[in-house]
Amino acid sequence: MSTTYRIGIIGCGGIANGKHLPSLSKLQNVELAAFCDIIEERAEEARQKYGSAEAKVYTRYTELLKDGSLDIVHVLTPNISHAEISIAALEAGKHVMCEKPMAKTAAEAKAMLEAAKRTGKKLTIGYNNRFREDSLYLKQLCEAGELGSIYFAKAHAIRRRAVPTWGVFLDEEKQGGGPLIDIGTHALDLTLWMMDNYQPKVVLGTTHHELSRRENAANAWGPWDPKQFSVEDSAFGMIVMENGATIMLESSWALNSLDVDEAKCSLSGTEAGADMKQGLRINGEKLGRLYTNEIELSAGGVAFYEGRQESAPDTEMRQWIEAIDQDKEPVVTPEQAYVVSRILEALYESSRTGKAIYLNEQGSR
C-alpha cells in the first residue's frame, strides 16, 4: 500500500485508547491527523500520544469533518450519537468505522446503511471479536462445510459481576440498553457470521433488573450506583431464522452463575458441532464413534517460543485499511451489522410487550 490515509478520531475515551489508537498507530500507511472529544483534554492527550506532528484537536465533530484532507473517520462515541456522526462523516466524503453496536436503534442503523450506499463510501462496525484466532479458524471450518448446515446455536455473553461503572454504560437514554446491546451484540454478531444467516423471522426476549437495585454490590470495577442503573442487568432471547435455524442468546453483566463466557458461540450442524467454551472444540461422529477435537491455535511449535500472532484489534484495523486501499468489502459489512441491530431492538421490544416480534415480511414489523 503506497497511499497514506489520514484518519480523524471522534471520541477519545476508553475504546479509542484501548483498541483503535494503539492498533492504528502500528500501521505504516496511516496518519492520525485529527482528534475530537467534548472534553478537550482527552483529545489533546490522544494527540500527544498518537498524533502526527501537525495533528489537530477539536471539541466539535462538525469542525473536524470540515477538514477535506481526512480520508477516514472513526466514530467512538456513546451509542446515541453513532448514527448522527457516522452519517455526517459519510456525507462529508469520509470512510467510516463506527464502534459497535451500529446504532442505538434499528431505524438509525438503517439510515447509516443508506448513507453509505448513497455516498459510495465504506462503512464498517467495530465487531473486533471476528478477528480472534479462534473465530477466524472456526469461520474457515464453517465456510468449508465442515459443520454442515448449522441449525442450532448459542450466543454467549455472560459475566458474573462485571458491570461497567464509568462513562454512560448505565444510562438507557444514551446507550439504548445494557449488556444485551453492549456485549450481547458481540456474541450475536459472531454467531450470525459463523452461520452466514442474516434472515431472522421471529424473536422472543426477556430483560431483567434483578441485581441492579442492590447497594454495595461486589463488582469488578467497584459497586455500582443503583440510582444510575437504568438499563437491564441481564437479557435472554430466542431467535428463529427463516430457514428454521434457532439461536439462544444470553447476556449479562451481573448473574449468579459460574458458567461465564463473553463474545463466544456454540454451533450445532448436520455434520459436526463446535464451541469456544474451553478453547475451540469440534465435536461429531466418525465411523460409528463420537469424537471431540481440540484445535491448537498456538503459532509456536518450538519449545519456549509461541510464535508471532497478531492481536484481534491489530488484525481488525489492518484489514479495514486494506479494504479501503484495495476497494473491497470490509469484513464487517453494514448490511450484516444492521441485521444485528434489528434483532437487538426486537428482543427489547419483546421484553417490553411480552410478545414474540416478527421481523420477516409476513410478520408484524
Side-chain angles (χ1 to χ4, degrees), residues 283-292:
N283 67 84
E285 176 186 359
K286 187 173 291 186
L287 301 177
R289 298 286 183 177
L290 298 177
Y291 70 85
T292 303

Side-chain angles (χ1 to χ4, degrees), residues 12-13 17 35 37-47:
C12 299
N17 288 280
F35 299 83
D37 198 283
I38 57 174
I39 300 174
E40 187 174 4
E41 291 77 12
R42 282 201 303 219
E44 178 59 33
E45 287 176 7
R47 184 196 70 80

Side-chain angles (χ1 to χ4, degrees), residues 40-103:
E40 187 174 4
E41 291 77 12
R42 282 201 303 219
E44 178 59 33
E45 287 176 7
R47 184 196 70 80
Q48 290 183 12
K49 187 171 183 179
Y50 296 104
S52 60
E54 304 299 322
K56 297 179 180 179
V57 165
Y58 302 89
T59 55
R60 296 182 180 180
Y61 78 85
T62 51
E63 294 301 310
L64 179 148
L65 294 181
K66 291 178 182 178
D67 186 344
S69 71
L70 296 178
D71 305 293
I72 303 165
V73 164
H74 283 218
V75 179
L76 315 177
T77 60
N79 299 348
I80 192 171
S81 59
H82 282 187
E84 174 188 330
I85 300 174
S86 295
I87 292 169
L90 291 165
E91 292 179 339
K94 324 297 185 189
H95 302 292
V96 174
M97 171 177 275
C98 178
E99 252 308 319
K100 62 78 194 170
M102 189 170 185

